[in-house]
Structures are given as structure tokens and as C-alpha cells.
Amino acid sequence: MQEYDLSQWVLFFFLYSFLGWIWESCYVSIKEKKLVNRGFVTGPVCTISGAMVVLIVTIPVRDNILLVFLMGMIGATILEYFTGITMERLFHVRYWDYRNLKFNVRGYICPLASLCWGAFSILMVKVVHIPFEHMVLLIPVTIADILAFVLTIAAAVDFTQSFNEAMDMKRILVQLEASKEQIQKMQERLKDASEEMQDRLKDASEGVQERLKRASEGVQERL
């Protein structure tokens, strides 16, 4: 089993985060029929890398294709579930939604997505990772350390800025929700006031009609 040092792990993370960003952005852009940056941060990376989780959990069993499928499926599914919950609670935004698929769990995970993760795990470990592993291992240790350090600093700055922007967006969404509730309350009050006014007008109209009727009867009796 091949072991990696910290810098190599960092390089793998940014490599697969970049590939994940390309895949996600292309998929969503085609689906939405417009260019979409499918990432939490500004840069071309997906900070939550399912590929890295698959790589980590399958390293001990990478020679057993069945275990690669099972471990990758379980690891990625757990990541997807808790990431979905965390992102929605923090930012009030769903980055994916499986509620239209059968047997989903709160829209965060579903059997079909989990099976896809299992198939992806086999493709990842047995095909995709082999040339990338060879490429990263060829990088001299000093250069790998420098690259990992620079990329980490740049990503940290980008993540901090993106996180602050997301929190600002969350505050805006909360304010909009509060405004929506106030508008609904005002509409309900206006509706109640309108109904009350209609009842009063109806009572007044019936009173006027009753008075006119009595006056008419009185005139006829006099005649």
C-alpha cells in the first residue's frame, strides 16, 4: 500500500477539488443552460471533496474491488449527508436535493446517489487515481511542500472571504424571511379589517333599508 506525506495529500486534495469543480460546474451549467460556478469559494475548487473521502477510506482495501465499492459508497454517503445538513443550517441554502428520488433521507442522500458513489469509487481508485498518483509522486519533496503551502494559503484566504459573503447572504435571507412574515401579517390584518368593514357596511345597509321600509309603510298608512 502506497503511503503519502502531508504535502502529497494536500496536492491530491487540490487536484481532485479542481476536477470536482469542473465536473459539478459543467453538469449544473448544462442543466441550468447557463454558466454556473458550482463551488462554495470563488476559486475553481470544490472545498468538500468526495473524491478525497473515497481515496482515504479505500486506501486500506484498494486491492479488493468489492470493498472499494462498499467503503467508498458508505464514506461518500456519510459525507454527503452531514455536509448537506451543515450547509443548509449555516447558510439556509440547499446545494443538492434528492427529495424527488425514492427512499431519500430528508433530500440529502438516497440509494441511487449512494450506488453512484460506489461506482465512482471503483473508477476513482482503479482508473483515475493511478496516473495522478504517479504524477504527484514524481514531484520533488521540496517543490511539493512549497506548492502545498502556497495553495493552502490561497485557499484559506478564499474560503474566509467566501464564508463571510455566505454569512452576509444568510443575514439577507433571514431579513427577507422576516419581512415576508411581516407582510403576511399585514395582509391578514387588512383582510380582517376589510371583512369587518364589509360586515359593518352590510349592517348599515340593512338598517337603512329597514328604516326606508318603515318610512314607506308609514306614508302608506297615512294615505
Side-chain angles (χ1 to χ4, degrees):
M1 181 178 68
Q2 178 65 51
E3 295 183 358
Y4 311 120
D5 60 30
L6 179 59
S7 296
Q8 290 169 336
W9 275 114
V10 172
L11 293 180
F12 283 133
F13 170 78
F14 284 106
L15 175 62
Y16 288 121
S17 294
F18 174 67
L19 294 176
W21 174 82
I22 291 177
W23 167 258
E24 289 276 349
S25 296
C26 290
Y27 173 77
V28 177
S29 295
I30 293 173
K31 186 177 179 180
E32 299 291 334
K33 297 181 180 179
K34 63 179 181 180
L35 291 176
V36 177
N37 178 8
R38 186 63 171 178
F40 175 74
V41 297
T42 304
V45 292
C46 283
T47 51
I48 307 299
S49 177
M52 281 300 297
V53 171
V54 168
L55 185 61
I56 292 170
V57 300
T58 58
I59 277 184
V61 297
R62 64 192 302 179
D63 294 326
N64 187 317
I65 193 169
L66 178 59
L67 290 179
V68 167
F69 179 89
L70 292 175
M71 295 295 292
M73 178 181 68
I74 293 171
T77 299
I78 292 173
L79 172 70
E80 195 168 39
Y81 180 75
F82 286 104
T83 300
I85 291 176
T86 302
M87 296 296 280
E88 185 169 10
R89 289 184 178 178
L90 280 177
F91 309 119
H92 290 191
V93 174
R94 275 184 177 259
Y95 284 83
W96 63 87
D97 194 346
Y98 298 137
R99 284 179 291 189
N100 62 324
L101 298 177
K102 292 182 178 180
F103 309 113
N104 71 85
V105 179
R106 300 171 62 185
Y108 300 123
I109 58 175
C110 70
L112 179 59
S114 296
L115 290 174
C116 289
W117 277 116
F120 169 78
S121 299
I122 295 175
L123 179 65
M124 165 79 184
V125 173
K126 295 298 184 180
V127 179
V128 176
H129 184 62
I130 293 175
F132 289 133
E133 177 187 52
H134 181 69
M135 179 181 67
V136 170
L137 292 179
L138 285 177
I139 300 175
V141 175
T142 302
I143 296 178
D145 290 342
I146 294 173
L147 283 174
F149 177 77
V150 171
L151 289 171
T152 300
I153 295 299
V157 172
D158 192 358
F159 179 84
T160 301
Q161 181 179 355
S162 299
F163 181 84
N164 291 334
E165 291 175 354
M167 293 304 293
D168 290 338
M169 180 62 68
K170 176 187 175 181
R171 284 190 288 270
I172 292 174
L173 291 174
V174 170
Q175 291 174 356
L176 288 174
E177 188 65 26
S179 298
K180 181 181 178 181
E181 291 178 357
Q182 291 178 353
I183 292 173
Q184 289 177 342
K185 290 180 180 179
M186 291 178 62
Q187 289 176 336
E188 290 174 357
R189 290 177 182 175
L190 288 173
K191 181 180 178 181
D192 293 339
S194 175
E195 291 176 351
E196 183 179 356
M197 182 62 69
Q198 289 177 355
D199 291 338
R200 290 183 178 180
L201 290 173
K202 182 179 179 181
D203 292 340
S205 175
E206 291 176 351
V208 171
Q209 291 176 356
E210 183 66 24
R211 291 176 185 177
L212 289 174
K213 181 180 179 181
R214 290 177 181 177
S216 176
E217 291 175 351
V219 171
Q220 290 177 356
E221 288 176 359
R222 292 175 184 177
L223 294 176

